[in-house]
């Protein structure tokens, strides 16, 4: 099976780190569990200038390399690779974050999994570069996807009959899922169980 996996807040704990950065930079203290919106500018009530500073700080190589792994991520992904499944990490991070992101994956034993940077959130207006276009992404096929952002649901809808594990996060608790293919999962154990059931039924 072909598997699409988002990076931030699926494989690593990005939002928790961003809450620390917001507190350090601006004295804004929003606990992780109260991050209501995927749009951090809205969640932290930041000006455009503050938001740009937050994004810049969060994407510094030394910060990207320090994000904690989401428990069970690399173990589960490597199990799938060992079973012969094709796994792709599709991130909305800009391409100038590719090197530290790739290094983070390698350090967490995910060196066998390719990484693609795609403009999932319309950020190309900031003149970021990406190494895959949305058109290229939509031309691919996936059987199973893992996402946390309601803003990215539209992208995985392009894949016919794709089962989508929605990683449970505070900012997607109120989200309406597009259809029954979307299933909320609280951790990687639940994601693996959903995948095994789906792969078994399809196979």
């Amino acid at each position: 099976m072909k598997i699409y996996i988002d990076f931030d807040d699926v494989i690593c704990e990005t939002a928790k780190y961003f809450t620390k950065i917001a507190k350090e930079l601006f004295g804004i203290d929003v606990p992780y569990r109260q991050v209501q919106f995927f749009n951090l500018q809205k969640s932290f009530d930041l000006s455009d200038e503050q938001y740009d500073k937050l994004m810049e700080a969060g994407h510094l190589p030394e910060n990207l390399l320090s994000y904690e792994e989401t428990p069970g991520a690399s173990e589960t992904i490597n199990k799938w690779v060992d079973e012969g499944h094709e796994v792709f990490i599709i991130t909305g991070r800009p391409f100038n974050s590719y090197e530290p992101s790739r290094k983070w994956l390698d350090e967490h034993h995910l060196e066998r999994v390719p990484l693609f940077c795609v403009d999932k959130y319309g950020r190309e207006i900031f003149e970021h570069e990406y190494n895959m276009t949305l058109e290229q992404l939509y031309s691919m096929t996936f059987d199973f996807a893992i996402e946390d952002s309601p803003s990215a649901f539209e992208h995985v809808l392009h894949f016919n009959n794709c089962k989508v594990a929605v990683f449970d996060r505070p900012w997607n608790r109120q989200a309406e899922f597009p259809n029954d293919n979307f299933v909320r999962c609280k951790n990687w154990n639940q994601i693996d169980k959903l995948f095994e059931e789906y792969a078994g039924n399809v196979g």
Side-chain angles (χ1 to χ4, degrees), residues 71-90:
S74 61
E75 182 184 351
T76 306
I77 294 167
N78 276 315
K79 179 172 77 81
W80 293 343
V81 173
D82 290 341
E83 289 171 354
H85 303 291
E86 287 185 78
V87 181
F88 301 82
I89 295 169
I90 311 289

Side-chain angles (χ1 to χ4, degrees), residues 89-171:
I89 295 169
I90 311 289
T91 181
R93 294 179 181 182
F95 189 54
N96 61 5
S97 302
Y98 180 89
E99 292 293 338
S101 301
R102 180 70 264 171
K103 187 177 179 184
W104 187 97
L105 291 169
D106 294 349
E107 288 178 351
H108 289 80
H109 314 293
L110 292 169
E111 61 278 350
R112 295 181 293 171
V113 184
L115 169 68
F116 294 100
C117 301
V118 184
D119 185 21
K120 294 190 201 175
Y121 311 114
R123 290 175 179 155
E124 62 189 13
I125 52 172
F126 299 119
E127 298 182 1
H128 285 323
E129 288 184 17
Y130 298 85
N131 67 340
M132 178 185 278
T133 65
L134 281 173
E135 289 74 20
Q136 288 171 320
L137 177 65
Y138 296 162
S139 71
M140 298 175 75
T141 57
F142 291 99
D143 305 293
F144 192 82
I146 309 165
E147 262 292 355
D148 70 293
S149 168
S151 304
F153 290 173
E154 61 176 300
H155 303 313
V156 293
L157 281 170
H158 282 82
F159 313 127
N160 289 333
N161 302 317
C162 180
K163 197 74 169 177
V164 183
V166 177
F167 204 113
D168 182 64
R169 297 293 186 179
W171 51 89

Side-chain angles (χ1 to χ4, degrees), residues 5 25 28 33 68 109 122 124 137 174 190:
I5 305 178
L25 288 179
I28 294 170
R33 64 183 178 279
E68 290 181 21
H109 314 293
E124 62 189 13
L137 177 65
Q174 306 301 317
Q190 288 188 8

